[in-house]
Amino acid sequence: MCPPGDATGSDMNAGGMTPRALSYRQLLLVPDMRALLLATCLARLGGRMLSLAIVLYALTRAGSPALAGWLSFAVVAPGLVISPIAGALIDRAGAAWAITADMAASAACLLTLALVDRIGWASTPVLLLLTTLFSLTSPLSAAGIRTLLPRLVPSEVLDRANALDTSIHGLTDIVGPALAGLLMGVVGAAPTFCLIALVYAGAAFCIAGIRRAHARPAPSRRLLGEALAGLIRVLREPTLRGLAVCYGFYQITLGALVVLVPVVAARHFSAETGEWTAGLLWSGSGAVGVAGALVAGQLRALGRERQVMALGMLFTALATWPIAAAFGVTGLALGLMLIALAAGPIDVGLLTLRQRRTDPAELGRVLSVSMSLNLAGIPVGSALAGLLLTWSLPATFAVAALASLLAAVSVALVPRHDRSGHA
């Protein structure tokens, strides 16, 4: 949603083109959209590469699914805990500053990780410390990107803009895992971590080209007061609270798959072949995810987001078990593609519903807290899968599917209408 008098809305209307008529190509002509989307693509590419590389690193160096699960947990969970402070910083300093700060800190952590691997200091405590430090700044870019997006486009085309945003996830799911798996198998861990650091640096450079990302006036309250206010706002708002529950369950499934996919690949293939096979499995699902997101943007599901999300989560549960669990690597590949197909409508529905029911003045702190609560299931799912895999692979898939089934049921907690009576 654009500020009053913003050039985007007036220029589009002046050309005889209402916001509802915008195509994807026309949406890319909105000022600063291409720079934001490119920065988003690079930031998520780095994150997607790291999420697989860190699991492969634990499996090849320590041979431990449990360590892989805990490292995946540490990459995400600490940042979720401090997300209220990150959101308050975004509203004070501006989303562009927040994204740039996170990209710089992430690059530094990856370069340090490469160094400790090269000199032989990569013990379990050191790995957990570095992944935790990496996680602490992550909400700055995750929420910062989602804060900028609705400020650049008219509210009527938020679903289509969110579809572009979501399709970037699918695109990075194609390139990121395949590249990470190939690099880990061919050149090793340290060069892979260095390349990921360069990707983050590129994202910071793109954000510098955004012209309209100015900081908001500093709030009158102190930083911790603003952070607490954002947390209370999310917990008291029925829509945001309901989304946190249902999407959190859904993310448990995805977090478990982060560990399950490379473990299944390693059990069916040799070490090096298993690494790039895991990357290819994620890449195939990413290609389907791009298509699913773009189609979801064309559905115009305003007012029907709850139904779309529930159906997608139920579809995800069935794709996880029995399809992905019972038919070997072929079933896993098919299951991942079906999960990616459902992810587009789920994510577009979530993003559009949350943005439409959030006060623009509170967008930074509310989105940071809300996104972190929504994503809390990922580290939980990864850690849970790492523990369950020592007991039973089929049971791990079954628990992952159960989480998405609970997510579909929990969509009922999201109100049909906001407080003003709008869907």
Side-chain angles (χ1 to χ4, degrees):
M1 91 187 36
C2 297
D6 186 87
T8 301
S10 60
D11 288 349
M12 292 300 177
N13 290 331
M17 191 166 50
T18 63
R20 196 174 294 275
L22 286 177
S23 67
Y24 285 122
R25 181 179 179 182
Q26 293 160 343
L27 196 57
L28 290 175
L29 298 178
V30 173
D32 294 330
M33 274 295 291
R34 282 177 291 185
L36 176 60
L37 292 176
L38 181 57
T40 301
C41 184
L42 291 173
R44 290 175 183 164
L45 176 62
R48 197 64 188 88
M49 290 177 67
L50 180 62
S51 68
L52 179 60
I54 201 69
V55 172
L56 295 176
Y57 186 76
L59 292 176
T60 55
R61 295 301 174 91
S64 172
L67 177 60
W70 283 116
L71 288 179
S72 295
F73 178 89
V75 165
V76 179
L80 305 184
V81 175
I82 68 161
S83 61
I85 297 176
L89 281 171
I90 291 171
D91 282 338
R92 282 172 175 258
W97 174 89
I99 299 169
T100 303
D102 177 41
M103 296 299 96
S106 298
C109 285
L110 267 296
L111 291 175
T112 305
L113 184 56
L115 177 62
V116 299
D117 174 73
R118 182 64 70 184
I119 63 179
W121 290 1
S123 63
T124 296
V126 171
L127 292 175
L128 288 171
L129 174 62
L130 288 175
T131 50
T132 297
L133 291 175
F134 171 90
S135 175
L136 288 176
T137 61
S138 296
L140 292 174
S141 62
I145 289 168
R146 294 279 165 79
T147 300
L148 278 178
L149 190 63
R151 290 175 179 169
L152 297 181
V153 302
S155 59
E156 292 85 352
V157 291
L158 263 181
D159 55 349
R160 190 158 294 183
N162 285 327
L164 278 178
D165 179 32
T166 302
S167 69
I168 290 176
H169 277 291
L171 181 62
T172 56
D173 278 345
I174 297 172
V175 180
L179 185 57
L182 179 64
L183 289 171
M184 288 289 290
V186 174
V187 301
T192 301
F193 294 143
C194 288
L195 180 60
I196 299 173
L198 288 177
V199 171
Y200 281 125
F205 179 80
C206 292
I207 286 295
I210 295 181
R211 299 182 299 276
R212 291 192 293 160
H214 301 299
R216 301 271 176 168
S220 57
R221 284 184 286 190
R222 293 183 177 180
L223 179 63
L224 291 179
E226 288 297 312
L228 181 60
L231 178 61
I232 293 173
R233 172 76 171 82
V234 171
L235 295 178
R236 286 181 175 177
E237 171 57 46
T239 294
L240 299 177
R241 190 171 61 241
L243 289 174
V245 174
C246 68
Y247 201 73
F249 276 124
Y250 168 68
Q251 291 289 304
I252 289 177
T253 302
L254 303 186
L257 289 171
V258 168
V259 179
L260 276 167
V261 171
V263 167
V264 171
R267 292 187 179 184
H268 283 81
F269 303 98
S270 63
E272 291 185 1
T273 304
E275 289 179 348
W276 64 259
T277 299
L280 288 178
L281 287 170
W282 281 118
S283 297
S285 69
V288 177
V290 172
L294 294 176
V295 170
Q298 299 282 4
L299 293 178
R300 312 300 298 173
L302 289 173
R304 296 183 289 114
E305 295 93 347
R306 296 166 68 255
Q307 296 92 321
V308 170
M309 290 174 60
L311 288 174
M313 291 166 174
L314 179 60
F315 193 73
T316 299
L318 295 174
T320 304
W321 190 92
I323 294 175
F327 302 101
V329 176
T330 302
L332 179 59
L334 177 59
L336 288 175
M337 287 189 284
L338 294 175
I339 290 168
L341 185 64
I346 293 172
D347 289 344
V348 172
L350 169 81
L351 294 171
T352 305
L353 188 61
R354 181 173 57 193
Q355 288 164 347
R356 287 197 296 111
R357 296 186 181 181
T358 300
D359 183 353
E362 300 177 323
L363 204 55
R365 77 198 84 147
V366 168
L367 284 189
S368 180
V369 176
S370 177
M371 288 176 62
S372 294
L373 291 175
N374 292 344
L375 296 175
I378 289 182
V380 173
S382 295
L384 185 61
L387 296 175
L388 289 175
L389 278 168
T390 62
W391 170 52
S392 169
L393 178 63
T396 307
F397 273 106
V399 170
L402 177 62
S404 280
L405 183 61
L406 291 173
V409 174
S410 299
V411 171
L413 297 175
V414 181
R416 295 178 181 271
H417 307 280
D418 61 17
R419 292 178 177 177
S420 63
H422 296 104

